[in-house]
Amino acid sequence: MTLQPLATAVHRAYTADLDADDFYRMLRLRVDVFVAEQQCAYPELDGRDLEETTRHFWIDSADGFVLGYLRLLEDPDGVYRIGRVCTAQGARGLGLGRKLMRAAVAEVRRRPVVLSAQTYAVDFYRSFGFAEDGEEYLEDGIPHVPMRRA
């Protein structure tokens, strides 16, 4: 895998507009990070990826690997939800997560958006205007904090 992103372009697509190979590469990164690396045995495929309004944001490497990813959901109450934010282990520190978050925040504009931050990443999300919106809790043995951007 090449660690150099392909011009660090952030791609964005609704699930219905995704090529099967692209979708597979995104899911592969998510499983590599959340299930294998973080050792969390949980239902990564939760059905929300297939919702009509789900948007996927990703950054490719020069040789076709997905180096960074996040998804943007619309909850039934009209609040947006950012989740599954991840970067390939070998590509961390290149600012890819920051690029993805900027794109997602630009997408929702001034509408309310929430996320569940792993505690170590709270300051990262604060830099995008998110604030803690509840108490820390454990999910799959990893401390998380609910956050909201009004």
Side-chain angles (χ1 to χ4, degrees), residues 42-60:
Y42 74 103
E44 166 55 26
L45 302 177
D46 61 3
R48 302 238 29 212
D49 293 305
L50 301 177
E51 293 173 5
E52 185 177 301
T53 58
T54 297
R55 295 167 195 126
H56 304 268
F57 295 78
W58 74 100
I59 296 172
D60 284 323

Side-chain angles (χ1 to χ4, degrees), residues 1-6 25 29 33 58-69 86-92 94 96-97 100:
M1 171 190 337
T2 302
L3 299 182
Q4 184 59 41
L6 185 59
R25 292 179 311 114
L29 174 63
V33 171
W58 74 100
I59 296 172
D60 284 323
S61 69
D63 56 355
F65 287 90
V66 173
L67 296 179
Y69 172 87
C86 58
T87 303
Q89 193 170 29
R92 294 183 188 148
L94 300 175
L96 304 183
L100 290 164

Side-chain angles (χ1 to χ4, degrees), residues 13-50:
Y14 287 94
T15 304
D17 298 325
L18 284 175
D19 168 286
D21 289 338
D22 286 339
F23 195 34
Y24 175 85
R25 292 179 311 114
M26 293 171 208
L27 295 174
R28 172 74 186 262
L29 174 63
R30 287 171 29 184
V31 169
D32 285 350
V33 171
F34 298 121
V35 178
E37 181 184 331
Q38 295 184 351
Q39 300 178 347
C40 295
Y42 74 103
E44 166 55 26
L45 302 177
D46 61 3
R48 302 238 29 212
D49 293 305
L50 301 177

